Amino acid sequence: MLPRQLYSVNWDFLSRCLCYNPFVKILGIESSCDETAAAVVEDGIHILSNEIASQIDIHARYGGIVPEVASRQHLLAIIPIIDSALRKADTQWQEIDVIAVTKGPGLAGSLLVGVNVAKSISYAHNIKLIGINHLEGHIYANWLTKTLPIFPLLCLIVSGGHTDLIHMSFHGKYQLLGHTRDDAAGEAFDKAARILGLGYPGGPAIDKAAKNGTPCLALPHSWLNGTHDFSFSGIKTALYRLAEKGKLGNVNDAAASFQEAVVSVLAGKTIAAANACGAKQILLSGGVAANQALRQKLFQSSPLPVQVPPPILCTDNAAMIAACAYFRLQSGIEDSYDMDVIPGLLLA
């Protein structure tokens, strides 16, 4: 472990001294849900391109993601998005050292599109293939920022499908400390936005409305004392009951109240878990990490340094998949063509 005062050293210097195989170019492919993404990343830390084709407008009419629609859109978008990533990175196929692709967790049909395209490219161009855990990729979005994360650390992965507290002692070494027992935080935001008539996706809609509101509703804060687990179904149900009785009042106030309840629990339990496991730093990752109230709460409340990727790297993207693959590669991990998708893949 380097002395703490060296953590502000230039990334180029660190990548040469600490890691391993310099100038490794990795093409990342992400298709686990409703974004088709491709990126070229060098040495696990330098983004040369990061292209994303979002399906938000398509799924918004249904109020949520339709798996069959998502997989069909991936089929349409994946080759153009890969071509765009290579073009913007000014990179030819012979310069790519590794193909990294999300193999899970996610929607089975969507994952199959990305994995099969990655296998085909790997075979056609004789390029190494590495399958990546989507959740691990979210963690490694923090390696694409300007500051080097400090081990051991505590990472809150908070998204539409996951709310997990992960202790990370080093690259590839994870321990699950807590997780949601019901709704993920992002799922709760989507359902609350539907109750409030704010549309889909719910997280950004509630974040925007809350800026013009005051948290004045008495919504429950589920602490589940004695554990690092989360529960958000009670908050969502309480909001629904108020709506049923016509007691929501101002929509902006209701959004602010709901957001405050969720954010307080997320931040409070994250800080408690970080202190309990002896972490030196807190990382925030996943789509809900783009929520401004959550960022501010953690920055203001945490006695430990907090690191959060920029919003574009919080939502699903391929740069984080490529970054993760670089550190997997240093451990000698590669995959063969019998690699399959694992929709329910766990991290720890």
Side-chain angles (χ1 to χ4, degrees):
M1 181 67 66
L2 287 174
R4 187 164 181 171
Q5 61 266 27
L6 290 182
Y7 283 110
S8 61
V9 171
N10 181 275
W11 265 114
D12 280 326
F13 173 79
L14 283 171
S15 66
R16 306 299 175 257
C17 294
L18 294 179
C19 314
Y20 318 108
N21 302 323
F23 307 115
V24 174
K25 283 187 179 180
I26 298 179
L27 172 68
I29 299 172
E30 157 61 28
S31 66
S32 64
C33 194
D34 62 337
E35 270 91 23
T36 313
V40 178
V41 173
E42 187 176 69
D43 295 348
I45 56 176
H46 300 296
I47 299 175
L48 304 185
S49 65
N50 188 28
E51 298 296 287
I52 303 171
S54 176
Q55 300 178 18
I56 285 178
D57 291 342
I58 295 171
H59 296 284
R61 71 190 71 168
Y62 307 109
I65 297 167
V66 181
E68 179 64 20
V69 173
S71 60
R72 290 177 181 272
Q73 289 301 313
H74 287 306
L75 282 170
L76 294 173
I78 194 162
I79 297 304
I81 210 72
I82 290 172
D83 288 343
S84 179
L86 289 171
R87 186 170 60 253
K88 291 198 175 182
D90 193 21
T91 299
Q92 305 299 315
W93 283 117
Q94 59 267 29
E95 299 175 76
I96 297 294
D97 300 291
V98 178
I99 306 292
V101 62
T102 302
K103 64 179 180 181
L107 302 174
S110 296
L111 290 167
L112 281 168
V113 174
V115 166
N116 284 326
V117 167
K119 287 181 181 180
S120 300
I121 294 172
S122 171
Y123 181 80
H125 295 280
N126 193 27
I127 302 173
K128 294 177 182 179
L129 176 70
I130 299 180
I132 296 298
N133 185 310
H134 179 77
L135 300 179
E136 191 175 14
H138 272 306
I139 294 175
Y140 275 91
N142 284 280
W143 267 259
L144 295 168
T145 62
K146 295 181 180 179
T147 307
L148 180 65
I150 307 166
F151 293 116
L153 57 84
L154 188 283
C155 184
L156 171 64
I157 305 174
V158 58
S159 67
H162 299 271
T163 304
D164 299 327
L165 285 170
I166 301 289
H167 177 251
M168 186 176 181
S169 57
F170 197 64
H171 296 294
K173 297 186 180 297
Y174 307 104
Q175 179 186 4
L176 178 65
L177 299 184
H179 64 99
T180 182
R181 295 184 180 182
D182 38 61
D183 293 348
E187 180 184 2
F189 273 117
D190 285 341
K191 291 177 178 177
R194 191 176 306 150
I195 292 169
L196 298 176
L198 294 175
Y200 175 87
I206 286 183
D207 198 13
K208 181 179 179 180
K211 288 181 171 65
N212 299 311
T214 302
C216 56
L217 298 180
L219 295 175
H221 293 54
S222 183
W223 290 106
L224 300 178
N225 292 326
T227 79
H228 298 307
D229 289 346
F230 301 92
S231 173
F232 297 110
S233 64
I235 302 172
K236 171 204 67 184
T237 301
L239 187 73
Y240 179 72
R241 296 301 181 208
L242 289 174
E244 271 190 326
K245 298 175 183 178
K247 296 182 178 180
L248 280 180
N250 181 278
V251 170
N252 292 337
D253 290 346
S257 299
F258 183 85
Q259 179 170 265
E260 189 277 332
V262 172
V263 163
S264 293
V265 172
L266 285 172
K269 293 185 77 73
T270 297
I271 293 169
N275 289 332
C277 71
K280 295 182 179 179
Q281 185 180 34
I282 292 172
L283 302 186
L284 188 57
S285 62
V288 181
N291 181 278
Q292 292 299 314
L294 177 57
R295 289 169 173 249
Q296 291 171 8
K297 187 72 171 180
L298 275 173
F299 282 125
Q300 293 168 2
S301 304
S302 175
L304 299 173
V306 176
Q307 184 160 312
V308 189
I312 191 64
L313 296 178
C314 292
T315 54
D316 291 352
N317 66 90
M320 68 184 194
I321 302 302
C324 180
Y326 177 78
F327 293 96
R328 298 272 88 189
L329 183 66
Q330 307 314 318
S331 302
I333 295 174
E334 295 180 34
D335 284 289
S336 60
Y337 295 129
D338 63 358
M339 177 183 72
D340 200 359
V341 302
I342 310 175
L345 182 63
L346 301 176
L347 179 58

